[in-house]
Amino acid sequence: MSLDDLHLNLRNLTPEDYPQLKTLMDRVYHDIGGAWPKRTIERLISEFPDGQIAIEDDETLVGVALTARVDYEEFSNPHRYDDLMDQREIILNAPEGDAMYGLDVLIDPAYRGYRLGRRLYEARKDLCKSLNMRAILAGGRIPNYHQHASEMSPAEYLDQVSRKEIHDPILSFQLANDFQVKRLLRKYLPEDEKSQGYATLLEWNNILFEPAESVLDTRKTQIRVGAVQWQMREFSSVEAVLQQAEYFVDALSDYQSDFAVFPELFNAPLMGLQDRAAQQDQIAAIRFLAGFTEHFKTELSRMAVSYNINIIAGSMIEEHDDGHLYNISYLFHRDGDIEAQAKLHITPQERRDWIIEGGDDLKVFDTDAGRIGILICYDVEFPELSRLLADQDMDILFVPFWTDTKNGYLRVRHCSQARAIENECYVVLCGSVGNVPSIENMEIQYAQSSVFSPSDFAFPHDAVLAETTPNTEMIMFSDLDLTRLTVVRNEGSVTNLKDRRQDLFDLRWRDWSWKSGSRQEDA
C-alpha cells in the first residue's frame, strides 16, 4: 500500500456498509464465527448510530468500532457476551443507558501498523464525553492465553501482561489505551478457544461525567500542541535524521498531542554529508539539500498517519521544475493529506547565499483541531500576513523559525507576541538550537520556543502559555482552549478585531494567479 494513495476518513457506519463489514469481520474473526448477521448490524445502527464508527480509505472500509448503550450497574458486574443480545442475535441497546459498551474493534490486517485502533478508541472516548456518559465498558478476549494455560492461571496471565512480561494483542492494546481491568470474566465467550472462554472486564472512566441536568456545554474545547526545540547536529545519514524526528513524533503522540511542530529547515544538517570544500558552493549545497525533500515528505506523512498526529514539518527546501528554490513548510494531516505554505518574505542571507525565492500564496488550513496558519520565521515580522489569516478565522498561528543570534530571535519573538494580541489568536513559536561549526552557515543557533496567547483575563498574566529552556533540545506542550478565543473576540476587555476602523482602511490580498498562467490578464 502506497502512502501517496492513503486517504483516511473517520465517519459513522451506515447500513450500506454491511457487505464490506461482513468481509472484514469474516477475515478478522474467522476463529470465533465471523460476521454478525445483517439484521444485527442494521438494528445496531438504527438504535445507536453515533456509536458505530468506521474508518475508510477511499471508500474502502478498513476499520470499525461497534458500540452499544448499556446500564452501568448491570454490565460493570460479571456477565457473559450473550447477555448483550437476545436469541435472534439482536444487540440489547438500553436507550437510557449511562455507559457505552465496546462490542468490537477490528482493523483490516493490511492496515495494521497505522494505529487505526487507537484512533477508533479515541473517537469512542470523545463520544462518551460528548454524550456525558459515565464510562466505556468492554469484555476483552485474551487470545494468547492458550499458549500459557498449562503453566499459569488466568489471573497470573493478566498480571504478567499488565507488567509487560507477556504480550497479548488485545489486552496489551486496551491497557495502553487507558482501560483498567476490573475483574476476570469466566465463560464469557465459550467458543473462544484461544482465550479458553475467559475475558477481562475493562473500564475507561469519563472523569468529566456529570448528571445531565448540570451539563452546560459538552463540546470538546481543548487541543494539545507539542513542539520540538530541535538541536542542529551532524548526522551520518538521512535515516539518522528521520529516526530522530520519529523519536520526537512518537513521544508527542504518547502525550496525545494534536500537533507536532518542528523548526524551520530542521534537516539542514544534511548539507554536512558533503565535505567542507563542496559546501563552499552554497547554491550547490542548498540544491543538494533539496534533493532529500520528497523522501522526507513520504516518511513524515507516514508518521502523521501512523502516530495519529498532525505534523507541521518546520520547513524544507523544494526545487521546482524550473530550477527555482523555495523554503516551504508542509502540513501533514493525520488522515494522509499534505498541504504546503511557502515562505513569502526571504531574508537577505537566504536571497544572497542560496537564491531562495518567495512564494505567492497565503492559506488558512482546516484541521481536525482548529483552523491554522503557518508563517515561516521572517514572515511573522510582516503584520499584514497574520491579519489576512485572522480575517479567515484562524485559531492558531504556527511560526517555525531559525535564528542565529539572540537579537534575531527577539525580533521573531516580539513580533509573534504582537500577532497573538492584535489578532486574538494563539501563536506557537518553534526554533532550533546547537552549534555545528563543520557545516557552512550553521555555526550557531539561538532559540527559546514558546506559545503565546491574547492578553486578557482568561489567559496567563504575561500572555505566555509555555516556553522552553533557551538553547536546550527538548519538547514543549501546551493545551489551547479554542472557546476562549471566541469569548475574548466578542467580550474581551478590548476587542481588537471587532474595533478596527474599516471605514478608514482595509487590507486585501492581490490575485497573483496570472503569474502561473491560471488567470489571463484583461485584454
Side-chain angles (χ1 to χ4, degrees):
M1 177 176 47
S2 171
L3 278 170
D4 293 337
D5 299 327
L6 191 65
H7 185 83
L8 302 177
N9 180 41
L10 188 74
R11 61 171 176 83
N12 288 116
L13 202 67
T14 69
E16 290 73 25
D17 292 320
Y18 182 75
Q20 287 197 64
L21 176 61
K22 183 180 187 308
T23 300
L24 185 59
M25 293 190 80
D26 284 340
R27 187 182 309 147
V28 174
Y29 294 149
H30 60 88
D31 58 336
I32 54 172
W36 280 344
K38 184 177 181 181
R39 66 178 182 276
T40 303
I41 298 299
E42 289 179 341
R43 184 74 170 267
L44 190 61
I45 292 172
S46 173
E47 293 185 346
F48 189 26
D50 290 342
Q52 319 319 317
I53 305 167
I55 296 177
E56 63 179 357
D57 179 20
D58 286 336
E59 300 183 355
T60 299
L61 211 62
V62 298
V64 173
L66 302 175
T67 314
R69 289 188 74 146
V70 297
D71 179 75
Y72 177 84
E73 293 300 330
E74 179 180 357
F75 284 92
S76 61
N77 287 299
H79 61 277
R80 298 183 180 182
Y81 194 72
D82 286 344
D83 295 334
L84 289 159
M85 62 185 69
D86 66 15
Q87 295 180 349
R88 297 175 297 118
E89 293 189 289
I90 299 299
I91 304 299
L92 299 174
N93 264 294
E96 301 302 320
D98 59 350
M100 292 166 54
Y101 196 101
L103 299 168
D104 288 301
V105 169
L106 52 153
I107 305 298
D108 187 324
Y111 285 77
R112 289 173 184 168
Y114 291 106
R115 294 174 170 80
L116 302 189
R118 178 185 293 184
R119 192 174 303 205
L120 290 168
Y121 269 61
E122 291 303 317
R124 261 189 188 156
K125 293 174 185 177
D126 288 343
L127 178 62
C128 184
K129 293 175 185 176
S130 69
L131 295 177
N132 190 40
M133 305 193 81
R134 183 170 174 177
I136 301 174
L137 301 168
R141 300 168 57 211
I142 47 175
N144 277 4
Y145 176 59
H146 70 282
Q147 301 173 5
H148 305 272
S150 62
E151 57 195 42
M152 65 181 69
S153 68
E156 291 171 331
Y157 178 81
L158 299 187
D159 180 63
Q160 292 201 27
V161 172
S162 68
R163 289 189 279 116
K164 298 185 178 181
E165 296 175 4
I166 296 175
H167 177 78
D168 185 277
I170 293 179
L171 179 56
S172 297
F173 175 78
Q174 290 164 325
L175 293 174
N177 281 275
D178 300 321
F179 278 76
Q180 302 295 319
V181 176
K182 289 191 58 130
R183 65 181 78 245
L184 182 69
L185 299 175
R186 302 176 185 274
K187 298 182 181 180
Y188 179 74
L189 196 62
E191 62 267 34
D192 181 7
E193 295 179 358
K194 291 184 177 180
S195 304
Q196 299 202 352
Y198 291 102
T200 55
L201 176 57
L202 297 141
E203 179 173 344
W204 176 82
N205 282 304
N206 176 14
I207 61 173
L208 301 179
F209 172 75
E210 297 180 17
E213 59 270 19
S214 68
V215 175
L216 299 178
D217 183 11
T218 58
R219 182 174 67 88
K220 181 182 178 181
T221 63
Q222 296 280 337
I223 67 168
R224 180 165 293 169
V225 169
V228 179
Q229 186 158 282
W230 174 271
Q231 181 170 333
M232 296 292 197
R233 53 169 73 83
E234 293 185 34
F235 287 100
S236 60
S237 66
V238 176
E239 290 68 27
V241 183
L242 288 168
Q243 183 179 21
Q244 185 69 19
E246 186 159 5
Y247 161 77
F248 284 120
V249 170
D250 188 7
L252 296 174
S253 174
D254 283 345
Y255 284 96
Q256 300 181 342
S257 289
D258 295 290
F259 293 98
V261 192
F262 287 86
E264 178 184 19
L265 297 180
F266 70 100
N267 69 345
L270 288 175
M271 289 188 288
L273 296 182
Q274 298 179 304
D275 59 36
R276 188 73 175 189
Q279 294 176 44
Q280 297 307 306
D281 184 346
Q282 293 189 43
I283 296 175
I286 205 69
R287 291 189 190 277
F288 175 78
L289 179 63
F292 300 111
T293 297
E294 285 303 314
H295 182 47
F296 268 77
K297 288 170 65 176
T298 298
E299 288 301 303
L300 288 164
S301 182
R302 174 189 63 80
M303 293 179 206
V305 173
S306 180
Y307 292 96
N308 191 25
I309 189 169
N310 301 300
I311 298 176
I312 296 171
S315 75
M316 293 180 280
I317 299 299
E318 182 176 291
E319 182 173 5
H320 289 188
D321 292 338
D322 58 8
H324 292 178
L325 297 167
Y326 297 88
N327 186 353
I328 296 182
S329 181
Y330 296 96
L331 168 60
F332 299 98
H333 294 263
R334 49 187 160 196
D335 67 2
D337 282 347
I338 303 174
E339 298 186 274
Q341 174 63 63
K343 190 172 186 177
L344 305 181
H345 296 87
I346 305 304
T347 64
Q349 180 270 324
E350 289 176 291
R351 189 167 53 247
R352 179 186 64 245
D353 295 343
W354 292 337
I355 61 169
I356 303 294
E357 299 191 29
D360 298 320
D361 198 14
L362 181 69
K363 303 175 184 177
V364 168
F365 303 102
D366 276 310
T367 76
D368 54 15
R371 288 173 62 79
I372 72 166
I374 304 172
L375 295 179
I376 303 171
C377 197
Y378 196 30
D379 277 341
V380 81
E381 299 178 30
F382 299 84
E384 298 88 351
L385 297 180
S386 56
R387 178 52 52 87
L388 287 164
L389 295 172
D391 283 340
Q392 300 175 67
D393 300 322
M394 173 186 64
D395 299 310
I396 311 167
L397 176 62
F398 290 94
V399 183
F401 72 95
W402 178 12
T403 53
D404 51 0
T405 61
K406 187 172 183 178
N407 62 311
Y409 160 73
L410 289 175
R411 284 196 302 270
V412 175
R413 178 186 177 97
H414 294 326
C415 288
S416 295
Q417 284 198 282
R419 304 297 87 87
I421 292 169
E422 66 200 16
N423 296 300
E424 298 169 327
C425 66
Y426 296 110
V427 178
V428 180
L429 199 60
C430 182
S432 57
V433 300
N435 306 314
V436 194
S438 63
I439 301 176
E440 194 73 22
N441 277 329
M442 294 190 62
E443 287 84 357
I444 56 173
Q445 279 78 223
Y446 185 96
Q448 183 180 25
S449 303
S450 309
V451 180
F452 305 126
S453 72
S455 185
D456 212 328
F457 294 114
F459 305 98
H461 71 94
D462 57 358
V464 179
L465 287 167
E467 57 187 355
T468 62
T469 302
N471 284 353
T472 302
E473 185 172 60
M474 61 184 295
I475 57 178
M476 169 187 70
F477 296 97
S478 186
D479 287 341
L480 310 182
D481 188 341
L482 301 187
T483 60
R484 291 187 178 184
L485 298 181
T486 302
V487 173
V488 77
R489 288 167 182 170
N490 291 278
E491 301 175 1
S493 302
V494 295
T495 48
N496 299 74
L497 291 177
K498 285 176 62 176
D499 294 340
R500 284 176 293 165
R501 288 288 306 275
Q502 293 183 321
D503 58 324
L504 300 178
F505 61 88
D506 62 13
L507 184 63
R508 63 187 177 90
W509 181 262
R510 291 180 177 173
D511 182 2
W512 288 105
S513 57
W514 61 269
K515 291 180 67 177
S516 60
S518 60
R519 179 178 68 85
Q520 294 184 352
E521 294 182 90
D522 294 337

